[in-house]
Amino acid sequence: METPSKTLSPPWEALILVATYLDAKTLAISSCVSKSWFSSMSSDHIWKPILATHFPSLSTLPPSTAPSHRLFAIAQAAAKRRRQKLTKPNLSLADLIFTISICSSGSRVISTAEHCDTLFMDPPGVFRFRVSWDGVGLEEGVKEMKVMWNVVLKGWRGVFTMMEFEGKVHGGEMCGGGGGGVNKVSVGILSVVNWRYVDLEDGLRYLQHFLLSCNAL
């Protein structure tokens, strides 16, 4: 009586030969069949041309950085996220308070707290605000200063330090003032990609990442 022959896996040479004709999605699915299939379907020899076609800048990275199939998966996931429509931020300006403290020569010169929805947006639709105060202004000229800008979630349910700077600053550079000195500053979120201030919704989405992680509105 003949015994049924065991089903043998195709040799790895055949797998790699077939794999060169498959697209990225089919390759990823095929690599889940078994360890030997994963080893064959994940070969840099197969994935390098695919990576170079879809994400040329990543294909020039040193081979020791990461396998080509891994780089492709990371880049593909990032591309999908960029194509997704951004949701409206859960924060609004009415939920936030800006606190600004300016010290010079070891003493506090300015300390103010302002509700964001009452501030002047400069320009409209951009996350850049003008904060002014009454009373003594900062003197013109270069001085050693310490500037702190915190964003507070209303009710003190959260606080995030946006800026903490200490060094020499020209009073007029912070924002112009009158003859009595500087009595206003401009604060905002600047994108390092294009060196422009981000729009209002992007700024709120950025802040909610820090302020709403452990809080709910």
Side-chain angles (χ1 to χ4, degrees):
M1 181 177 178
E2 293 185 1
T3 56
S5 59
K6 293 183 179 180
T7 303
L8 299 176
S9 298
W12 65 268
E13 295 94 338
L15 288 177
I16 291 180
L17 182 63
V18 172
T20 56
Y21 294 95
L22 303 179
D23 58 66
K25 183 177 180 180
T26 306
L27 279 172
I29 295 172
S30 302
S31 66
C32 298
V33 172
S34 65
K35 289 182 178 180
S36 61
W37 279 55
F38 175 80
S39 179
S40 300
M41 298 295 180
S42 302
S43 169
D44 257 28
H45 172 74
I46 299 169
W47 281 95
K48 190 78 172 178
I50 298 176
L51 184 65
T53 300
H54 293 85
F55 307 103
S57 60
L58 292 180
S59 66
T60 60
L61 293 175
S64 58
T65 304
S68 294
H69 73 276
R70 179 60 180 157
L71 290 174
F72 181 88
I74 294 172
Q76 186 79 342
K80 285 182 179 179
R81 285 195 298 270
R82 285 195 298 270
R83 289 193 295 267
Q84 289 177 349
K85 187 177 180 179
L86 294 175
T87 58
K88 289 283 185 181
N90 295 322
L91 279 178
S92 69
L93 291 180
D95 300 312
L96 304 176
I97 299 171
F98 284 176
T99 66
I100 296 175
S101 174
I102 302 175
C103 299
S104 179
S105 302
S107 60
R108 183 171 296 178
V109 181
I110 303 298
S111 182
T112 184
E114 303 288 342
H115 291 269
C116 292
D117 54 349
T118 65
L119 297 176
F120 178 74
M121 198 181 305
D122 180 28
V126 174
F127 200 92
R128 183 172 185 260
F129 302 88
R130 188 180 302 168
V131 182
S132 58
W133 56 86
D134 297 325
V136 180
L138 296 173
E139 296 179 0
E140 297 283 354
V142 178
K143 289 185 176 296
E144 194 77 22
M145 295 184 187
K146 182 176 181 180
V147 183
M148 288 194 66
W149 170 30
N150 291 300
V151 180
V152 179
L153 186 61
K154 188 176 285 186
W156 288 93
R157 290 174 292 157
V159 60
F160 177 62
T161 300
M162 290 289 291
M163 181 178 71
E164 185 173 1
F165 170 82
E166 189 169 359
K168 290 184 178 181
V169 178
H170 193 291
E173 291 178 352
M174 298 181 67
C175 197
V182 178
N183 59 1
K184 58 185 176 181
V185 294
S186 289
V187 293
I189 300 177
L190 190 67
S191 170
V192 296
V193 176
N194 53 19
W195 298 109
R196 294 182 179 179
Y197 287 94
V198 303
D199 64 34
L200 178 60
E201 288 195 352
D202 283 344
L204 292 173
R205 271 189 286 266
Y206 174 78
L207 287 173
Q208 77 181 19
H209 175 74
F210 300 98
L211 293 173
L212 297 184
S213 57
C214 300
N215 297 279
L217 286 175

